[in-house]
Amino acid sequence: MAAILIVDDDHHLRRSFDKLLTQDGHTVKTASSGEAALPLARSGEFDLIIMDVRLPGMDGLRTFKAIREIEPLLPVIIMTAFGTTETAIEATKMGAFDYMLKPFNIPEMLSLIEKAVEAGRFMRSRVELDPVPETDSGEAIIGRSRVMQEVYKAIGRSASTDATVLIRGESGTGKELVARALYQHSARSRKPFLVINCVAIPETLLESELFGYEKGAFTGAVNRRVGRIEQADGGTVFLDEIGDMPFGIQAKILRLLQERSIQRLGAREPSPVDVRIIAATNRNLEAALSEGKFREDLYYRLKVVTISLPPLLEREGDIPLLCEYFIRRYSKKMGVPDPGITAEAVEMLCAYSWPGNVRELANALQKALIFNRGGPVSIEDIARVSGIAPDRTAEKADLPEETIRAWIRGYLSSHEGGLSMFDSAMEQFSAMLITEALNLNGGNRSRAAKMLGLSRPTLMAKIEKHRIRFETSAISEE
Ligand SMILES: Nc1ncnc2c1ncn2[C@@H]1O[C@H](COP(=O)(O)OP(=O)(O)OP(=O)(O)O)[C@@H](O)[C@H]1O
Ligand SMILES: [Mg+2]
């Protein structure tokens, strides 16, 4: 729950807000003027400020600007009556989270408050890269596998630039976490970070949410609306699930990237904006291209800097570290001592295939912790709540095709793509094929050649070329 500061000169309103929000589980403090609000804002104890646009003395806009100077990442919601909407809109243009028009619709207001608090936490809670410092209170990207080291390097290389970054990876691999890490390690970390989830917002609203509109742009546009991109001016916009972005809007994003400007719906002129774009998707964009669902020009523009998150299955050695991390984190959150986890449970988790990746692991451990009745988290605790059981892991191991696919995915994501990718992967694969044929035939090259349908000289040439080493049994050589 959040700590909220209400700034309004009307004491009735302060009182009713206090009551309503306290009931909703928040901690509330109030101030009756801008002057009184500033020292409170400076204290750093709040997650959100809700302020009236009309204040005695220092007016709303000046108060807002002063708060912005003190705490640039603290979300502010502006309250306004019909007559003062222009000022409220001005404030959103300067980065206020949103405004609410009196009289308030309570459920809408509560949901807006929740969104604002979450957005603020997103900006301020730091994401560290592994290894976690001892005093870890924030979040971290855990993992020391070779593939994750590559991810950290890529974050390090691109964070401080203003380059557009495309983050790719299956669901639950940590794309959002990486987006936040990029933002926090960037030169724009004191400026806003706005998240737009392109699937969560209905297509009809997405365009106005992103770009805003002029008064009268369409029926129902009674006021000008500042779009999220303009609101984040100077900062970073995270376009999550960009692979699902409607085709028509993609053109506008392309234009933003090329011309650094946006055009509100119904506006005559484009307005310049300075935002850095970070995008993420779990979609196969190449397939979307060939189906005509994703614009090729936008695709090329986005993919210049790509960070690919490997599936959890390929992060060798990371599962034990993640287990430790999540159990520590969740037990702390639940206010119970860290129980640890048994070696057998870790072993079972290491053998599982994790189609839902890190999110699935985190959820399984969180649930197991709830069921844990003292002692380290055990196989039984996990099996009871998640359907991950030792027998299921055995079943997985019997799926050779999945193992091959996993190898291919690992190969593709850990090698530079490009012209020779296909050939070098095939070379590597044929080397493995030959090695295994040799092993199955006790090192007998004639028999291996026959098995593979190759002539013996061809096989010999390949063995030479790939410098294949194999075991020969004493009696097998011809
Ligand atoms: N390497 C990691 N270390 C610690 N926590 C992680 C790691 N990767 C992911 N997580 C956690 O797992 C959960 C899922 O991660 P996140 O939301 O970033 O995934 P995503 O790739 O955006 O997934 P989706 O495509 O489903 O949106 C989050 O709670 C996140 O904090
Ligand atoms: Mg995500």
PDB file of all heavy atoms in Angstrom, residues 34-63:
ATOM      1  N   GLY A  34       0.526  24.906  -1.472  1.00  0.00           N
ATOM      2  CA  GLY A  34       1.762  24.498  -2.137  1.00  0.00           C
ATOM      3  C   GLY A  34       2.954  24.684  -1.214  1.00  0.00           C
ATOM      4  O   GLY A  34       3.838  23.815  -1.120  1.00  0.00           O
ATOM      5  N   GLU A  35       2.973  25.821  -0.519  1.00  0.00           N
ATOM      6  CA  GLU A  35       4.095  26.119   0.383  1.00  0.00           C
ATOM      7  C   GLU A  35       4.240  25.024   1.445  1.00  0.00           C
ATOM      8  O   GLU A  35       5.344  24.618   1.790  1.00  0.00           O
ATOM      9  CB  GLU A  35       3.889  27.476   1.089  1.00  0.00           C
ATOM     10  CG  GLU A  35       4.092  28.689   0.201  1.00  0.00           C
ATOM     11  CD  GLU A  35       2.822  29.061  -0.588  1.00  0.00           C
ATOM     12  OE1 GLU A  35       1.885  28.240  -0.662  1.00  0.00           O
ATOM     13  OE2 GLU A  35       2.782  30.181  -1.134  1.00  0.00           O
ATOM     14  N   ALA A  36       3.089  24.562   1.954  1.00  0.00           N
ATOM     15  CA  ALA A  36       3.126  23.537   3.000  1.00  0.00           C
ATOM     16  C   ALA A  36       3.507  22.178   2.412  1.00  0.00           C
ATOM     17  O   ALA A  36       4.065  21.318   3.098  1.00  0.00           O
ATOM     18  CB  ALA A  36       1.774  23.452   3.694  1.00  0.00           C
ATOM     19  N   ALA A  37       3.191  21.990   1.132  1.00  0.00           N
ATOM     20  CA  ALA A  37       3.424  20.676   0.523  1.00  0.00           C
ATOM     21  C   ALA A  37       4.910  20.427   0.216  1.00  0.00           C
ATOM     22  O   ALA A  37       5.380  19.285   0.312  1.00  0.00           O
ATOM     23  CB  ALA A  37       2.610  20.556  -0.762  1.00  0.00           C
ATOM     24  N   LEU A  38       5.641  21.489  -0.145  1.00  0.00           N
ATOM     25  CA  LEU A  38       7.014  21.273  -0.618  1.00  0.00           C
ATOM     26  C   LEU A  38       7.939  20.569   0.377  1.00  0.00           C
ATOM     27  O   LEU A  38       8.620  19.612   0.006  1.00  0.00           O
ATOM     28  CB  LEU A  38       7.625  22.577  -1.111  1.00  0.00           C
ATOM     29  CG  LEU A  38       6.958  23.136  -2.374  1.00  0.00           C
ATOM     30  CD1 LEU A  38       7.732  24.342  -2.898  1.00  0.00           C
ATOM     31  CD2 LEU A  38       6.832  22.082  -3.460  1.00  0.00           C
ATOM     32  N   PRO A  39       7.965  21.029   1.649  1.00  0.00           N
ATOM     33  CA  PRO A  39       8.850  20.305   2.587  1.00  0.00           C
ATOM     34  C   PRO A  39       8.447  18.847   2.744  1.00  0.00           C
ATOM     35  O   PRO A  39       9.309  17.975   2.891  1.00  0.00           O
ATOM     36  CB  PRO A  39       8.684  21.058   3.909  1.00  0.00           C
ATOM     37  CG  PRO A  39       7.698  22.130   3.700  1.00  0.00           C
ATOM     38  CD  PRO A  39       7.340  22.201   2.257  1.00  0.00           C
ATOM     39  N   LEU A  40       7.137  18.577   2.652  1.00  0.00           N
ATOM     40  CA  LEU A  40       6.682  17.182   2.753  1.00  0.00           C
ATOM     41  C   LEU A  40       7.156  16.376   1.540  1.00  0.00           C
ATOM     42  O   LEU A  40       7.618  15.240   1.666  1.00  0.00           O
ATOM     43  CB  LEU A  40       5.156  17.134   2.856  1.00  0.00           C
ATOM     44  CG  LEU A  40       4.586  17.609   4.191  1.00  0.00           C
ATOM     45  CD1 LEU A  40       3.079  17.826   4.093  1.00  0.00           C
ATOM     46  CD2 LEU A  40       4.894  16.594   5.287  1.00  0.00           C
ATOM     47  N   ALA A  41       7.056  16.998   0.375  1.00  0.00           N
ATOM     48  CA  ALA A  41       7.505  16.308  -0.844  1.00  0.00           C
ATOM     49  C   ALA A  41       8.987  15.992  -0.742  1.00  0.00           C
ATOM     50  O   ALA A  41       9.458  14.945  -1.181  1.00  0.00           O
ATOM     51  CB  ALA A  41       7.241  17.175  -2.070  1.00  0.00           C
ATOM     52  N   ARG A  42       9.720  16.923  -0.137  1.00  0.00           N
ATOM     53  CA  ARG A  42      11.175  16.766  -0.005  1.00  0.00           C
ATOM     54  C   ARG A  42      11.542  15.611   0.932  1.00  0.00           C
ATOM     55  O   ARG A  42      12.607  15.034   0.817  1.00  0.00           O
ATOM     56  CB  ARG A  42      11.767  18.084   0.503  1.00  0.00           C
ATOM     57  CG  ARG A  42      13.257  18.202   0.307  1.00  0.00           C
ATOM     58  CD  ARG A  42      13.751  19.617   0.584  1.00  0.00           C
ATOM     59  NE  ARG A  42      13.504  20.531  -0.522  1.00  0.00           N
ATOM     60  CZ  ARG A  42      12.810  21.660  -0.446  1.00  0.00           C
ATOM     61  NH1 ARG A  42      12.263  22.028   0.696  1.00  0.00           N
ATOM     62  NH2 ARG A  42      12.653  22.420  -1.503  1.00  0.00           N
ATOM     63  N   SER A  43      10.627  15.280   1.857  1.00  0.00           N
ATOM     64  CA  SER A  43      10.934  14.243   2.846  1.00  0.00           C
ATOM     65  C   SER A  43      11.155  12.874   2.203  1.00  0.00           C
ATOM     66  O   SER A  43      11.719  11.977   2.816  1.00  0.00           O
ATOM     67  CB  SER A  43       9.798  14.139   3.865  1.00  0.00           C
ATOM     68  OG  SER A  43       8.682  13.525   3.234  1.00  0.00           O
ATOM     69  N   GLY A  44      10.678  12.703   1.001  1.00  0.00           N
ATOM     70  CA  GLY A  44      10.894  11.441   0.297  1.00  0.00           C
ATOM     71  C   GLY A  44      10.034  10.294   0.790  1.00  0.00           C
ATOM     72  O   GLY A  44      10.238   9.149   0.423  1.00  0.00           O
ATOM     73  N   GLU A  45       9.038  10.588   1.631  1.00  0.00           N
ATOM     74  CA  GLU A  45       8.261   9.485   2.214  1.00  0.00           C
ATOM     75  C   GLU A  45       7.037   9.108   1.389  1.00  0.00           C
ATOM     76  O   GLU A  45       6.351   8.159   1.715  1.00  0.00           O
ATOM     77  CB  GLU A  45       7.840   9.840   3.647  1.00  0.00           C
ATOM     78  CG  GLU A  45       6.898  11.024   3.705  1.00  0.00           C
ATOM     79  CD  GLU A  45       6.515  11.429   5.126  1.00  0.00           C
ATOM     80  OE1 GLU A  45       5.798  10.659   5.763  1.00  0.00           O
ATOM     81  OE2 GLU A  45       6.950  12.520   5.578  1.00  0.00           O
ATOM     82  N   PHE A  46       6.775   9.856   0.289  1.00  0.00           N
ATOM     83  CA  PHE A  46       5.526   9.596  -0.432  1.00  0.00           C
ATOM     84  C   PHE A  46       5.718   8.822  -1.727  1.00  0.00           C
ATOM     85  O   PHE A  46       6.758   8.902  -2.359  1.00  0.00           O
ATOM     86  CB  PHE A  46       4.798  10.916  -0.709  1.00  0.00           C
ATOM     87  CG  PHE A  46       4.353  11.585   0.552  1.00  0.00           C
ATOM     88  CD1 PHE A  46       5.091  12.630   1.093  1.00  0.00           C
ATOM     89  CD2 PHE A  46       3.242  11.123   1.228  1.00  0.00           C
ATOM     90  CE1 PHE A  46       4.705  13.222   2.287  1.00  0.00           C
ATOM     91  CE2 PHE A  46       2.849  11.713   2.428  1.00  0.00           C
ATOM     92  CZ  PHE A  46       3.590  12.755   2.955  1.00  0.00           C
ATOM     93  N   ASP A  47       4.647   8.091  -2.066  1.00  0.00           N
ATOM     94  CA  ASP A  47       4.635   7.365  -3.333  1.00  0.00           C
ATOM     95  C   ASP A  47       3.834   8.117  -4.387  1.00  0.00           C
ATOM     96  O   ASP A  47       3.905   7.809  -5.563  1.00  0.00           O
ATOM     97  CB  ASP A  47       3.972   5.991  -3.159  1.00  0.00           C
ATOM     98  CG  ASP A  47       4.706   5.144  -2.150  1.00  0.00           C
ATOM     99  OD1 ASP A  47       5.909   4.934  -2.346  1.00  0.00           O
ATOM    100  OD2 ASP A  47       4.080   4.711  -1.154  1.00  0.00           O
ATOM    101  N   LEU A  48       3.023   9.077  -3.917  1.00  0.00           N
ATOM    102  CA  LEU A  48       2.136   9.773  -4.848  1.00  0.00           C
ATOM    103  C   LEU A  48       1.680  11.080  -4.218  1.00  0.00           C
ATOM    104  O   LEU A  48       1.467  11.153  -3.014  1.00  0.00           O
ATOM    105  CB  LEU A  48       0.897   8.880  -5.120  1.00  0.00           C
ATOM    106  CG  LEU A  48      -0.263   9.490  -5.900  1.00  0.00           C
ATOM    107  CD1 LEU A  48       0.136   9.795  -7.341  1.00  0.00           C
ATOM    108  CD2 LEU A  48      -1.469   8.549  -5.895  1.00  0.00           C
ATOM    109  N   ILE A  49       1.553  12.109  -5.065  1.00  0.00           N
ATOM    110  CA  ILE A  49       0.935  13.353  -4.601  1.00  0.00           C
ATOM    111  C   ILE A  49      -0.317  13.594  -5.445  1.00  0.00           C
ATOM    112  O   ILE A  49      -0.291  13.437  -6.660  1.00  0.00           O
ATOM    113  CB  ILE A  49       1.900  14.556  -4.731  1.00  0.00           C
ATOM    114  CG1 ILE A  49       3.102  14.346  -3.811  1.00  0.00           C
ATOM    115  CG2 ILE A  49       1.179  15.874  -4.419  1.00  0.00           C
ATOM    116  CD1 ILE A  49       4.094  15.493  -3.787  1.00  0.00           C
ATOM    117  N   ILE A  50      -1.419  13.908  -4.750  1.00  0.00           N
ATOM    118  CA  ILE A  50      -2.636  14.304  -5.460  1.00  0.00           C
ATOM    119  C   ILE A  50      -2.886  15.751  -5.083  1.00  0.00           C
ATOM    120  O   ILE A  50      -3.010  16.070  -3.897  1.00  0.00           O
ATOM    121  CB  ILE A  50      -3.838  13.430  -5.033  1.00  0.00           C
ATOM    122  CG1 ILE A  50      -3.510  11.949  -5.253  1.00  0.00           C
ATOM    123  CG2 ILE A  50      -5.092  13.821  -5.806  1.00  0.00           C
ATOM    124  CD1 ILE A  50      -4.611  11.003  -4.790  1.00  0.00           C
ATOM    125  N   MET A  51      -2.883  16.639  -6.058  1.00  0.00           N
ATOM    126  CA  MET A  51      -2.993  18.057  -5.708  1.00  0.00           C
ATOM    127  C   MET A  51      -4.015  18.792  -6.549  1.00  0.00           C
ATOM    128  O   MET A  51      -4.250  18.460  -7.708  1.00  0.00           O
ATOM    129  CB  MET A  51      -1.626  18.734  -5.861  1.00  0.00           C
ATOM    130  CG  MET A  51      -1.011  18.576  -7.243  1.00  0.00           C
ATOM    131  SD  MET A  51       0.465  19.608  -7.415  1.00  0.00           S
ATOM    132  CE  MET A  51      -0.327  21.191  -7.621  1.00  0.00           C
ATOM    133  N   ASP A  52      -4.611  19.798  -5.937  1.00  0.00           N
ATOM    134  CA  ASP A  52      -5.561  20.619  -6.659  1.00  0.00           C
ATOM    135  C   ASP A  52      -4.790  21.559  -7.564  1.00  0.00           C
ATOM    136  O   ASP A  52      -3.679  21.983  -7.251  1.00  0.00           O
ATOM    137  CB  ASP A  52      -6.412  21.420  -5.654  1.00  0.00           C
ATOM    138  CG  ASP A  52      -7.674  21.949  -6.316  1.00  0.00           C
ATOM    139  OD1 ASP A  52      -7.961  21.522  -7.453  1.00  0.00           O
ATOM    140  OD2 ASP A  52      -8.358  22.794  -5.704  1.00  0.00           O
ATOM    141  N   VAL A  53      -5.416  21.898  -8.683  1.00  0.00           N
ATOM    142  CA  VAL A  53      -4.735  22.788  -9.603  1.00  0.00           C
ATOM    143  C   VAL A  53      -4.862  24.241  -9.129  1.00  0.00           C
ATOM    144  O   VAL A  53      -4.054  25.094  -9.448  1.00  0.00           O
ATOM    145  CB  VAL A  53      -5.285  22.576 -11.034  1.00  0.00           C
ATOM    146  CG1 VAL A  53      -6.663  23.175 -11.180  1.00  0.00           C
ATOM    147  CG2 VAL A  53      -4.342  23.096 -12.069  1.00  0.00           C
ATOM    148  N   ARG A  54      -5.920  24.493  -8.334  1.00  0.00           N
ATOM    149  CA  ARG A  54      -6.093  25.858  -7.807  1.00  0.00           C
ATOM    150  C   ARG A  54      -5.735  25.890  -6.348  1.00  0.00           C
ATOM    151  O   ARG A  54      -6.381  25.270  -5.518  1.00  0.00           O
ATOM    152  CB  ARG A  54      -7.547  26.274  -7.970  1.00  0.00           C
ATOM    153  CG  ARG A  54      -7.711  27.097  -9.227  1.00  0.00           C
ATOM    154  CD  ARG A  54      -9.116  27.362  -9.518  1.00  0.00           C
ATOM    155  NE  ARG A  54      -9.751  28.237  -8.527  1.00  0.00           N
ATOM    156  CZ  ARG A  54     -10.981  28.671  -8.684  1.00  0.00           C
ATOM    157  NH1 ARG A  54     -11.688  28.317  -9.729  1.00  0.00           N
ATOM    158  NH2 ARG A  54     -11.522  29.457  -7.780  1.00  0.00           N
ATOM    159  N   LEU A  55      -4.677  26.603  -6.050  1.00  0.00           N
ATOM    160  CA  LEU A  55      -4.245  26.682  -4.654  1.00  0.00           C
ATOM    161  C   LEU A  55      -4.048  28.146  -4.300  1.00  0.00           C
ATOM    162  O   LEU A  55      -3.674  28.956  -5.154  1.00  0.00           O
ATOM    163  CB  LEU A  55      -2.927  25.919  -4.474  1.00  0.00           C
ATOM    164  CG  LEU A  55      -2.985  24.391  -4.618  1.00  0.00           C
ATOM    165  CD1 LEU A  55      -1.585  23.811  -4.656  1.00  0.00           C
ATOM    166  CD2 LEU A  55      -3.781  23.778  -3.464  1.00  0.00           C
ATOM    167  N   PRO A  56      -4.272  28.486  -3.047  1.00  0.00           N
ATOM    168  CA  PRO A  56      -4.022  29.873  -2.628  1.00  0.00           C
ATOM    169  C   PRO A  56      -2.515  30.100  -2.568  1.00  0.00           C
ATOM    170  O   PRO A  56      -1.751  29.142  -2.400  1.00  0.00           O
ATOM    171  CB  PRO A  56      -4.632  29.922  -1.224  1.00  0.00           C
ATOM    172  CG  PRO A  56      -4.553  28.510  -0.728  1.00  0.00           C
ATOM    173  CD  PRO A  56      -4.707  27.628  -1.934  1.00  0.00           C
ATOM    174  N   GLY A  57      -2.056  31.290  -2.708  1.00  0.00           N
ATOM    175  CA  GLY A  57      -0.605  31.553  -2.650  1.00  0.00           C
ATOM    176  C   GLY A  57       0.056  31.002  -3.891  1.00  0.00           C
ATOM    177  O   GLY A  57      -0.355  31.288  -5.016  1.00  0.00           O
ATOM    178  N   MET A  58       1.051  30.143  -3.672  1.00  0.00           N
ATOM    179  CA  MET A  58       1.758  29.535  -4.793  1.00  0.00           C
ATOM    180  C   MET A  58       0.756  28.683  -5.594  1.00  0.00           C
ATOM    181  O   MET A  58       0.179  27.740  -5.064  1.00  0.00           O
ATOM    182  CB  MET A  58       2.834  28.643  -4.196  1.00  0.00           C
ATOM    183  CG  MET A  58       3.775  28.064  -5.168  1.00  0.00           C
ATOM    184  SD  MET A  58       5.018  27.210  -4.163  1.00  0.00           S
ATOM    185  CE  MET A  58       6.131  26.711  -5.423  1.00  0.00           C
ATOM    186  N   ASP A  59       0.546  28.997  -6.869  1.00  0.00           N
ATOM    187  CA  ASP A  59      -0.531  28.300  -7.582  1.00  0.00           C
ATOM    188  C   ASP A  59      -0.148  26.871  -7.969  1.00  0.00           C
ATOM    189  O   ASP A  59       0.998  26.450  -7.799  1.00  0.00           O
ATOM    190  CB  ASP A  59      -0.996  29.113  -8.801  1.00  0.00           C
ATOM    191  CG  ASP A  59       0.066  29.165  -9.881  1.00  0.00           C
ATOM    192  OD1 ASP A  59       0.803  28.178 -10.038  1.00  0.00           O
ATOM    193  OD2 ASP A  59       0.166  30.212 -10.561  1.00  0.00           O
ATOM    194  N   GLY A  60      -1.140  26.154  -8.493  1.00  0.00           N
ATOM    195  CA  GLY A  60      -0.967  24.728  -8.767  1.00  0.00           C
ATOM    196  C   GLY A  60       0.190  24.422  -9.700  1.00  0.00           C
ATOM    197  O   GLY A  60       1.014  23.543  -9.432  1.00  0.00           O
ATOM    198  N   LEU A  61       0.284  25.163 -10.791  1.00  0.00           N
ATOM    199  CA  LEU A  61       1.312  24.881 -11.774  1.00  0.00           C
ATOM    200  C   LEU A  61       2.714  25.105 -11.214  1.00  0.00           C
ATOM    201  O   LEU A  61       3.624  24.299 -11.425  1.00  0.00           O
ATOM    202  CB  LEU A  61       1.079  25.764 -13.010  1.00  0.00           C
ATOM    203  CG  LEU A  61       1.427  25.150 -14.357  1.00  0.00           C
ATOM    204  CD1 LEU A  61       0.816  23.775 -14.522  1.00  0.00           C
ATOM    205  CD2 LEU A  61       0.953  26.070 -15.488  1.00  0.00           C
ATOM    206  N   ARG A  62       2.849  26.190 -10.454  1.00  0.00           N
ATOM    207  CA  ARG A  62       4.167  26.475  -9.848  1.00  0.00           C
ATOM    208  C   ARG A  62       4.501  25.420  -8.798  1.00  0.00           C
ATOM    209  O   ARG A  62       5.646  24.972  -8.686  1.00  0.00           O
ATOM    210  CB  ARG A  62       4.184  27.880  -9.239  1.00  0.00           C
ATOM    211  CG  ARG A  62       4.561  28.920 -10.294  1.00  0.00           C
ATOM    212  CD  ARG A  62       4.590  30.323  -9.717  1.00  0.00           C
ATOM    213  NE  ARG A  62       5.383  30.437  -8.486  1.00  0.00           N
ATOM    214  CZ  ARG A  62       5.040  31.226  -7.457  1.00  0.00           C
ATOM    215  NH1 ARG A  62       3.911  31.917  -7.476  1.00  0.00           N
ATOM    216  NH2 ARG A  62       5.824  31.298  -6.397  1.00  0.00           N
ATOM    217  N   THR A  63       3.491  25.032  -8.033  1.00  0.00           N
ATOM    218  CA  THR A  63       3.723  23.983  -7.034  1.00  0.00           C
ATOM    219  C   THR A  63       4.163  22.701  -7.719  1.00  0.00           C
ATOM    220  O   THR A  63       5.124  22.044  -7.318  1.00  0.00           O
ATOM    221  CB  THR A  63       2.440  23.708  -6.219  1.00  0.00           C
ATOM    222  OG1 THR A  63       1.993  24.935  -5.664  1.00  0.00           O
ATOM    223  CG2 THR A  63       2.680  22.688  -5.127  1.00  0.00           C
TER     224      THR A  63
END
